[in-house]
Amino acid sequence: MTLTRIVPLLLAILWGFNWPAVKIGLSEVPPFALRMVGLGVGALLLALVAWAIGRSMGVPRRSWGPLLIAGVFNIAGFNLATVFAQLTTSTSRAAVLTFTTPLWAVLFAWLFLGERLDRYRWMALGIGLAGVAVLSAPLLSGEIRPLGILFPMLAAVSWAIGTVYQKANPIGGDRVAVTAYQLLIASAVAGVGFVIAGETLPTSVSMPVAWALLFHVVGATAIAYLLWFLLLDRSTAGTAALATFSIPVVGVLGAMALVGDRPSGLDYVGFAAILAAAGVTLFAPQPRPD
């Protein structure tokens, strides 16, 4: 099996199962603390990898501004919003709503970069918004809280803004080093929240939580981000997109197996709509420039 075939599979497993892993971790670790430590240790591990393989940690001076902004939106905003999403709604709903990121990225690229929207992408936006509406329907009966929709959508929008911004403002430097810096920036943002919220680190955790945190920090943060940038270096954009397309599917299945999620029939309709919309966005022909 070639690298470009096995890496998407590994990413789907690592990032998909990270959803229930974080849910388990949150049972004993406060949200800001979990992100502060998880992202910080992930940054340290990536920095050690960069040092071990002889990569430069230098970043051009002109790139520090874009690096800071990208780190805030790509990783800090996304990770903090997803962790609070898991505290306010089911893991499966949070995972799928967050996967509306490709739809928002297409919309923001049209608004701010002038990228053309063709009929496929208009169709994807319509289907995706319909899926969001279906997943939001339980708000009317009080089955879920408004924050259970708001936080996953904030995560998706934050990631999309970071993606579009970084596309418009490329960051110089080695990709492993740049990722480590973005993780470190996000850890610092979470650290500010940790202090303001008055959280404390637990003195001990149970064995299931310890294993979940180990998977989250080493597997889903350090290793997964390293694999992601390796994939981007060695494959086409379509292959990389395939990795993200599989994540919410694995996330839902993992949530059902590990944390007892039981989506309703209406949930599955919303899931299918969002996955269909994301699939159209990711795999539709590229629009011709105006």
Side-chain angles (χ1 to χ4, degrees), residues 241-266:
L242 182 60
T244 66
F245 190 69
S246 308
I247 291 167
V249 177
V250 177
V252 171
L253 295 176
M256 293 173 67
L258 298 176
V259 296
D261 266 18
R262 292 295 180 267
S264 67
L266 194 62

Side-chain angles (χ1 to χ4, degrees), residues 85-112:
Q86 296 233 49
L87 292 172
T88 52
T89 191
S90 67
T91 298
S92 54
R93 179 179 276 102
V96 175
L97 282 173
T98 301
F99 193 60
T100 57
T101 294
L103 307 180
W104 301 117
V106 165
L107 183 61
F108 293 150
W110 172 57
L111 290 173
F112 300 111

